[in-house]
């Protein structure tokens, strides 16, 4: 997989990192509230989406639309939403697995980006240490999701803040290296650098 580095991708990465930091702060400050309401909010969203889908299928009867399929999807979403709401504790355990998986993927993603960025210059060993820590944190959560859930949420929030900050640092460095490599490439295309004035002798007629 080839990683494309550009000013646009750099801006998107900055937004992603800031979102990770903000989300981490929320999780650290209010872990219990997040744990109690996240699954139920997801369940409510599924219920609302299912009800809307079901009502749309009833409204479109006779228009040649796949009514049966839409009705089935709507009823399925409603049932899933009710299960998420009623069995919130069970699905919270699944959520713990998801949090661990997210950190594992984030850590691997950072490692891939850093490895791809080596074409611009040398990457310090400390830069590789950051995603390894995120990756190991994800493994810890994924391997032990049934311990104190509030503690896991707080831990995930702290790692999310760490991920966001270190990603900002790494991406700023990579963007700087990209610009330097681009400027060097442009200079080589134009003849290898600055144009120097040549000495000359004035010829008298």
């Amino acid at each position: 997989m080839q990683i494309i580095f550009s000013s646009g991708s750099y801006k998107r990465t900055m937004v992603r990192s800031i979102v990770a930091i903000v989300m981490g702060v929320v999780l650290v400050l209010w872990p219990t509230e997040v744990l109690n309401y996240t699954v139920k909010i997801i369940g409510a969203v599924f219920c609302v989406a299912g009800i809307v889908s079901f009502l749309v299928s009833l409204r479109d009867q006779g228009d040649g639309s796949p009514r049966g399929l839409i009705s089935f999807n709507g009823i399925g979403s409603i049932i899933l939403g009710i299960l998420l709401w009623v069995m919130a504790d069970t699905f919270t355990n699944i959520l713990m697995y998801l949090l661990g998986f997210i950190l594992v993927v984030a850590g691997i993603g950072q490692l891939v980006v850093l490895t791809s960025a080596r074409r611009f210059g040398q990457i310090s060993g400390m830069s590789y240490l950051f995603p390894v820590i995120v990756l190991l944190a994800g493994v810890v959560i994924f391997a032990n999701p049934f311990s104190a859930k509030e503690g896991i949420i707080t831990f995930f929030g702290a790692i999310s803040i760490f991920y966001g900050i270190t990603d900002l640092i790494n991406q700023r460095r990579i963007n700087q290296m990209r610009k330097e490599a681009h400027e060097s490439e442009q200079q080589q295309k134009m003849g290898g650098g600055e144009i120097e004035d040549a000495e000359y002798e004035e010829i008298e007629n």
Side-chain angles (χ1 to χ4, degrees), residues 23 27 34-35 38-39 42 46 84 89-107 134-135 137-146 149 152-153 155-157 159-160:
M23 182 182 69
L27 294 175
V34 170
L35 189 60
T38 298
V39 175
I42 295 174
F46 271 102
L84 285 169
D89 290 338
T90 301
F91 285 97
T92 298
N93 294 331
I94 299 176
L95 179 63
M96 297 298 104
Y97 280 115
L98 179 61
L99 295 181
F101 180 75
I102 289 173
L103 290 182
V104 169
V105 172
V134 174
L135 175 60
V139 172
V140 169
I141 295 177
F142 195 82
N144 190 25
F146 301 110
K149 296 174 184 176
I152 291 179
I153 293 293
F155 179 68
F156 178 85
I159 295 298
S160 180

Side-chain angles (χ1 to χ4, degrees), residues 161-175:
I161 296 172
F162 177 80
Y163 165 81
I165 293 175
T166 56
D167 202 34
L168 283 173
I169 295 172
N170 286 337
Q171 290 295 334
R172 284 181 63 87
R173 174 57 181 159
I174 291 173
N175 189 58

Side-chain angles (χ1 to χ4, degrees), residues 68-85:
L69 179 60
I70 297 177
S71 299
F72 178 79
N73 290 336
I75 294 173
S77 295
I78 294 172
I79 293 174
L80 178 58
I82 294 173
L83 289 175
L84 285 169
W85 188 276

Side-chain angles (χ1 to χ4, degrees), residues 1-116:
M1 180 179 65
Q2 183 181 7
I3 304 297
I4 299 176
F5 297 94
S6 64
S7 59
S9 63
Y10 172 67
K11 292 177 181 178
R12 289 192 295 270
T13 301
M14 294 296 100
V15 173
R16 181 190 67 197
S17 301
I18 293 172
V19 169
I21 294 172
V22 173
M23 182 182 69
V25 171
V26 171
L27 294 175
V28 169
L29 293 179
W30 301 287
T32 303
E33 288 78 2
V34 170
L35 189 60
N36 289 339
Y37 293 111
T38 298
V39 175
K40 290 187 176 181
I41 289 174
I42 295 174
V45 170
F46 271 102
C47 277
V48 172
I51 292 171
V52 171
S53 178
F54 184 75
L55 292 177
V56 168
S57 68
L58 293 178
R59 185 196 65 184
D60 294 339
Q61 286 184 5
D63 293 342
S65 59
R67 182 176 68 254
L69 179 60
I70 297 177
S71 299
F72 178 79
N73 290 336
I75 294 173
S77 295
I78 294 172
I79 293 174
L80 178 58
I82 294 173
L83 289 175
L84 285 169
W85 188 276
V86 175
M87 304 173 63
D89 290 338
T90 301
F91 285 97
T92 298
N93 294 331
I94 299 176
L95 179 63
M96 297 298 104
Y97 280 115
L98 179 61
L99 295 181
F101 180 75
I102 289 173
L103 290 182
V104 169
V105 172
I108 293 174
Q110 275 192 334
L111 288 173
V112 171
V113 169
L114 290 173
T115 302
S116 299

Side-chain angles (χ1 to χ4, degrees), residues 116-132:
S116 299
R118 286 189 302 179
R119 67 176 183 265
F120 297 132
Q122 185 177 3
I123 303 294
S124 66
M126 184 63 67
S127 297
Y128 286 99
L129 178 62
F130 297 152
V132 170

